[in-house]
Amino acid sequence: GAGGWSPLDSNEQQWLQVDLRDRVEIVAVATQGRYGSSDWVTSYTLMFSDTGHNWKQYRQDDTIWVFTGNSNADSVVHHKFLHSMKARFLRFVPLKWNVGGRIGLRVEVFGCSYKSDIADFDGRSSLLYRFNQKLMSTFKDVVSLKFKSMQGDGVLFHGEGQRGDYITLELQKGKLSLHINLGDSNLHFSNSHMSITLGSLLDDQHWHSVLIERFNKQVNFTVDKHTQHFRTKGDSDHLDIDYELSFGGIPVPGKPGTFQRKNFHGCIENLYYNGVNIIDLAKR
């Protein structure tokens, strides 16, 4: 209709989709009713997507957020998000509208361009980060990344040492598992191995954030704002990794293109290990 968007049928199955042409950071929205009419939306929800096919609801405090809309056709109602969203597509989904009119909307979306380092993995590839020395022995490790997966199984990163130390992050049936072992595998495997699992349905092709913080035996494992605090067992406080860390799979030494477990199939974004930007380093 003239003066704004007004669908033929006014019901809860209607939505207005905006294509922002590229993945951007969205920080706020504003709405009006249809110009010179009795058509305006009094409440609505927002959905966002990178592809235009898989959609996610905007949430606050783990609740689908309902935005207050308009009370007339011309006043602007502006909402700044508590948490910005990164997406190409945005949908306004009207829930209620003026009882004396129909659904009517004019919208504006506020944000900025969003540049990030993204690595694509096709299920047959991996990234290797080699240390400057043969052995990396650490008392503190911080790994942060965002990932989007096409499949429910696959190794996101792995490191191991000849004395039995290892750390592995992998998807298993849509859940994310962190495996860690501090100490000699032959002597302490039964009491130093830990496996912690968080999340579910993480293979939904949406971005999920991961943060792993280890200081000595204390580990914080966070997936999408949900944190598991745990303490590793064993006699050692340090993690000994030989030569390299692998991201996207666990290569078999001496056999290029061969991997120990199922490779990750999807995208990894903003990948940092102890402050090192792994993806940016790989591009160089």
Side-chain angles (χ1 to χ4, degrees), residues 142-148 156-157 168-171 175-178 198-199 202 207-213 220-227 264 267-272:
V142 179
V143 181
S144 63
L145 60 95
K146 297 185 77 172
F147 75 91
K148 179 169 63 174
L156 276 80
F157 84 85
T168 305
L169 180 69
E170 66 177 321
L171 273 170
K175 299 180 180 181
L176 202 57
S177 296
L178 174 64
L198 276 178
L202 299 177
W207 290 102
H208 299 281
S209 60
V210 180
L211 177 63
I212 300 168
E213 302 167 294
N220 299 328
F221 179 32
T222 303
V223 179
D224 293 339
K225 302 177 187 176
H226 300 284
T227 302
F264 176 68
C267 304
I268 295 180
E269 175 186 67
N270 296 340
L271 171 58
Y272 288 86

Side-chain angles (χ1 to χ4, degrees), residues 22-34:
D22 199 0
R23 191 162 184 250
V24 300
E25 183 169 9
I26 307 168
V27 299
V29 294
T31 61
Q32 286 176 287
R34 189 165 69 87

Side-chain angles (χ1 to χ4, degrees), residues 6 18-19 45 53 65 109 133 143 150 157-158 163 187 207 216-217 235 243 251:
S6 187
V18 179
D19 181 357
T45 59
H53 302 291
W65 195 254
V109 181
Q133 62 262 36
V143 181
M150 313 300 178
F157 84 85
H158 172 78
R163 295 192 297 175
L187 297 176
W207 290 102
N216 296 341
K217 292 187 178 72
D235 299 330
Y243 302 114

